[in-house]
Amino acid sequence: ICTDIDIVILNLIAILSHNFTFTISSLKRNYIPTNGSETSYHLTGKAVDISGSNPINGNTLNYTDYNTETQKFINEASSLLGSTCQIGLPNNLYVMSTKKISNCNVFTDIGTGAHIHFAVGGY
């Protein structure tokens, strides 16, 4: 049993993988940047970034595209997260659609390329 990763995040990955193919990254970061400013939930195993495989904001999408299959993925993920969560999305089209159905803190997150960020915990 992995005790360093939040069970909600592990559950999210497992359930989503039944219907979608995707790549995960930053499941648990174990470094602090040299400027010491990292306060991400990735450091505590409470966040994951998902990308890579179509239609999950993958090869054919850029920051201005909108894909209904990607939105279905986001919607399913948001239903699996608690009310104190974060969802970072590739562009504002996804943000606006997701805010309508989610109690999470939903925001645009394009810092390291197209990906979807999910985190649990207070914010």
Side-chain angles (χ1 to χ4, degrees), residues 4-18:
D4 289 344
I5 309 299
D6 190 279
I7 191 70
V8 174
I9 293 295
L10 290 174
N11 190 50
L12 174 83
I13 294 166
I15 291 172
L16 291 175
S17 69
H18 287 277

Side-chain angles (χ1 to χ4, degrees), residues 57-66 90-91 94 110 114:
N57 74 333
N59 304 331
T60 63
L61 297 181
N62 61 38
Y63 298 138
T64 60
D65 288 341
Y66 179 88
N91 67 49
Y94 291 112
I110 59 171

Side-chain angles (χ1 to χ4, degrees), residues 7-56:
I7 191 70
V8 174
I9 293 295
L10 290 174
N11 190 50
L12 174 83
I13 294 166
I15 291 172
L16 291 175
S17 69
H18 287 277
N19 296 320
F20 302 94
T21 301
F22 52 86
T23 302
I24 63 170
S25 62
S26 293
L27 187 56
K28 171 123 176 32
R29 294 181 191 157
N30 60 0
Y31 69 91
I32 307 257
T34 54
N35 66 8
S37 65
E38 179 71 68
T39 59
S40 170
Y41 286 114
H42 292 286
L43 291 174
T44 58
K46 294 182 176 287
V48 64
D49 290 342
I50 294 179
S51 62
S53 302
N54 283 327
I56 311 308

